[in-house]
Every structure is written in structure tokens, then in C-alpha cells.
Amino acid sequence: MKQCGFIAIIGRPNVGKSTLLNSILKTKLSITASKVQTTRDNIIGIDTQKTCQYIYMDTPGIHLGKTKTFNQILNRTALSVVKDVDCVLLLIQANKITNEDKKIIDHMTEHKINIPVLLVLTKIDLIKDKNVLLLQISKLDKLFNFSQIIPLSAKKNISIDLLKNQIQPFLPKIDFIYNNDELTDKSTNFLCAEIVREQLTKQLDQELPYQLVVEIEKIIEENNMVKISAVILVEKTHHKAIIIGKNGSKLKQIATNSRQSLEKFFDKKVFLKTWVKLKTNIFEETFKNR
Ligand SMILES: Nc1nc2c(ncn2[C@@H]2O[C@H](COP(=O)(O)OP(=O)(O)OP(=O)(O)O)[C@@H](O)[C@H]2O)c(=O)[nH]1
Ligand SMILES: [Mg+2]
């Protein structure tokens, strides 16, 4: 009998949600960065084993208590999946438990979440003293009726298979929803735009990445080469200048790094054209329907 189900990966920004998904899939599907709020959309990642299909949903970091529209949209995007899944992975960074984490737990208690919640303690490679970890586990265990508590490290590939084994009992006994070879619900265009946005996130100062949108205008695959045109949309002239940099140096660097990532993604030579364009209301236009 086959099993197949949905698993939401939630948690505050930067706890390692996207890194965990990539580690489970052994593919770089969801972009990651050392800055908060890297993920903006719910992204499905599908892991199909012989008799089990795990459909993971990576979500934007939850930032409860913040009133900025962007935060609210990301919260809504992330929390909307919780009611429709078979189990939830709540990620908390083992070496950095914050009030934000507690707020998410309180939110789940208030909303009487009756879906199994597995607590995943991330980045345990950063904890030297294992007694500290045990202490954290016993504290967190008292805050919510977690189905399981699993400490792991996505970066060092510690306990990833154990996590999958712990999830399996929560998957319903139904046929697979996706084909065996499907990895995600997202289009190639979306994934390419994300790869370019990842480089922008990594190379620009803290606030700027939230104020831009990447659009792929064209992808043409021919023989051993892929031609891609990417537009970076910003609302303000000075943002455009920052992204382009002195004599175009910043944009050149961003484009080179993006091209290298895209070549890994396609496993082909990539010709990438990028430019920065001013557009009013990009923020509302992109996020208004969420
Ligand atoms: N040392 C260590 N670092 C990790 C681990 N997992 C993730 N990181 C780092 O933590 C940072 C954030 O990782 P992301 O996966 O982007 O975090 P996220 O929760 O998806 O963040 P948002 O999308 O912004 O909510 C990155 O710099 C990762 O390299 C881990 O197991 N160990
Ligand atoms: Mg993320």
C-alpha cells in the first residue's frame, strides 16, 4: 500500500527551512541566504521513495507581531498551508531560541492546531555542548504537545533520514499525487528568477532585497546552451543605482554568480542577460493576490 502526504515546513526567518528542504531533496530547489526573509512563496518539493511520496512545503519565515505589510503577507503565505497538511515541521534553531519561536508556538496553541506537529531543532552542528541541547529539548517539550522532537543539521546531513522515518507514519495511505520524477510545482521560470534573486539577496545590503522583484522575460533552450533574459524590477532610482554599482560592477558580479548557479541548475552552458528597470507599484502588483 502506498503512502502520500503533505508536510509543511514552518518557523521564524533564517532557522534553516529552505536548507532542510534542499538537504532532504539532495537538490538545491529553494534559495537560501544568511539574511532573514529569503523565501517569499510557498514552494513544494517532492521526495518520492518506493512506496512513499513526501510532499514538502517550504514557507516564508513567520514574523508574528510585526505589522509591516510585507511581513503580514509572508505570515499569511506561511500559515495558510498549516491547515491543509498531514503534519507540520516546526523548525527552531537549536542554538538560538527566541521570543519569535515562542510566539509561533502560542499561535498554534491559540488556533488549536490539531495536526501532528514535529519539532525540528536545526543547526545542531553549531552546538558544542550536547547537555545544552538536552536542556533546550526538555524546556521546549513542556510548551506544546509535539509528536516528536528531532535535533538535526541540514548542513552536515545529520539525522535527515531519521526525520523522514519519523514523518512516514503521518502520511495517509493513498496513491501518489505527483509523478515519480516530479520535483516541484514551480515553473522553470520561477526557479530561474529565484536563482537570480538569491544572488541579489547575498550581495546587497540588508533592506534592498525586499524591495525588488526578478522577472524572467525569456528562456530559450538550444542544443547545449540556454539563453535567459532576467529583469530586476525596482521602484526607486537610487535602488537601481545601488544594484548597478560603480561602472556596472555590482550588476556584473551578480550576473556572473547567477549564471554559474544557473549552469549548475541546467547542467548546460548559460548565456544570461540581466538589466535593472524602474517600475512603480511592483510590490503591490506582485503580492496583491496573496
Ligand atoms: N551551521 C548551519 N547553518 C545552517 C544550517 N541550516 C541552515 N543554515 C544556514 O542558515 C541560514 C539560513 O538558512 P535558510 O535555509 O535560508 O533559512 P530559512 O528558514 O529558509 O530562511 P527564510 O526563508 O528567510 O525564512 C543560511 O545561511 C544557511 O546556510 C545547519 O544545519 N547548520
Ligand atoms: Mg527560506
Side-chain angles (χ1 to χ4, degrees):
M1 185 65 196
K2 284 186 173 168
Q3 279 178 275
C4 174
F6 288 86
I7 307 122
I9 305 176
I10 68 164
R12 69 166 170 83
N14 213 39
V15 289
K17 298 177 291 299
S18 303
T19 308
L20 175 63
L21 178 64
N22 293 340
S23 169
I24 289 170
L25 299 178
K26 299 188 179 78
T27 310
K28 189 167 158 59
L29 175 70
S30 197
I31 65 166
T32 64
S34 58
K35 290 172 189 151
V36 299
Q37 297 186 331
T38 303
T39 306
R40 288 179 177 179
D41 297 82
N42 294 333
I43 297 175
I44 280 185
I46 307 151
D47 176 27
T48 306
Q49 304 289 330
K50 237 186 190 144
T51 59
C52 252
Q53 184 166 71
Y54 301 75
I55 307 165
Y56 295 93
M57 300 178 88
D58 185 16
T59 63
I62 301 167
H63 221 2
L64 295 172
K66 298 273 168 139
T67 50
K68 265 186 171 168
T69 322
F70 191 48
N71 282 308
Q72 287 171 340
I73 292 165
L74 294 184
N75 287 343
R76 208 161 52 228
T77 308
L79 292 166
S80 67
V81 302
V82 170
K83 56 188 191 314
D84 300 323
V85 294
D86 300 296
C87 75
V88 172
L89 306 183
L90 171 66
L91 270 56
I92 291 183
Q93 188 172 322
N95 66 333
K96 200 173 165 190
I97 299 174
T98 70
N99 251 343
E100 282 286 319
D101 301 309
K102 303 225 170 82
K103 276 187 200 155
I104 298 173
I105 296 176
D106 289 345
H107 181 92
M108 294 195 307
T109 311
E110 271 165 39
H111 288 76
K112 299 192 172 59
I113 300 276
N114 54 7
I115 298 161
V117 178
L118 284 71
L119 173 64
V120 176
L121 289 167
T122 61
K123 312 192 191 179
I124 57 160
D125 56 295
L126 298 176
I127 293 200
K128 297 285 167 278
D129 183 354
K130 295 301 163 211
N131 287 325
V132 174
L133 185 60
L134 292 174
L135 196 69
Q136 302 287 30
I137 291 174
S138 77
K139 274 190 199 159
L140 289 163
D141 196 21
K142 294 190 185 89
L143 298 182
F144 193 83
N145 186 18
F146 295 112
S147 303
Q148 296 284 349
I149 300 182
I150 305 131
L152 55 73
S153 165
K155 216 169 196 174
K156 304 275 179 206
N157 201 22
I158 301 168
S159 298
I160 302 297
D161 286 336
L162 177 87
L163 172 69
K164 289 193 208 172
N165 292 340
Q166 303 284 2
I167 294 170
Q168 193 190 336
F170 300 109
L171 303 182
K173 292 189 172 59
I174 54 164
D175 226 338
F176 291 175
I177 292 172
Y178 289 96
N179 290 333
N180 285 16
D181 58 355
E182 273 177 281
L183 182 69
T184 183
D185 63 331
K186 294 290 181 200
S187 66
T188 307
N189 271 37
F190 174 88
L191 297 173
C192 290
E194 288 288 274
I195 288 171
V196 176
R197 196 166 64 77
E198 181 175 51
Q199 290 309 324
L200 286 155
T201 304
K202 286 187 169 156
Q203 301 206 22
L204 296 171
D205 284 338
Q206 201 69 19
E207 283 299 318
L208 195 53
Y210 313 132
Q211 314 209 20
L212 57 83
V213 168
V214 179
E215 274 180 12
I216 301 295
E217 290 202 328
K218 245 188 333 208
I219 299 185
I220 304 167
E221 290 201 54
E222 21 176 80
N223 301 326
N224 286 329
M225 162 131 205
V226 190
K227 289 183 181 167
I228 302 170
S229 307
V231 195
I232 302 157
L233 300 170
V234 287
E235 288 189 3
K236 295 179 182 138
T237 319
H238 70 279
H239 286 169
K240 183 174 170 176
I242 294 170
I243 296 171
I244 292 171
K246 209 173 169 206
N247 299 325
S249 57
K250 196 83 186 167
L251 185 59
K252 200 170 166 197
Q253 189 62 52
I254 289 163
T256 305
N257 292 5
S258 302
R259 180 180 50 73
Q260 286 164 351
S261 289
L262 288 163
E263 285 181 341
K264 271 194 207 140
F265 177 76
F266 284 101
D267 198 17
K268 277 185 182 175
K269 207 162 169 45
V270 168
F271 178 79
L272 173 67
K273 205 169 136 197
T274 47
W275 67 95
V276 191
K277 220 157 103 177
L278 281 174
K279 194 175 171 193
T280 45
N281 292 335
I282 45 158
F283 187 82
E284 273 99 81
E285 298 241 323
T286 312
F287 294 99
K288 73 180 167 198
N289 295 324
R290 299 202 185 155

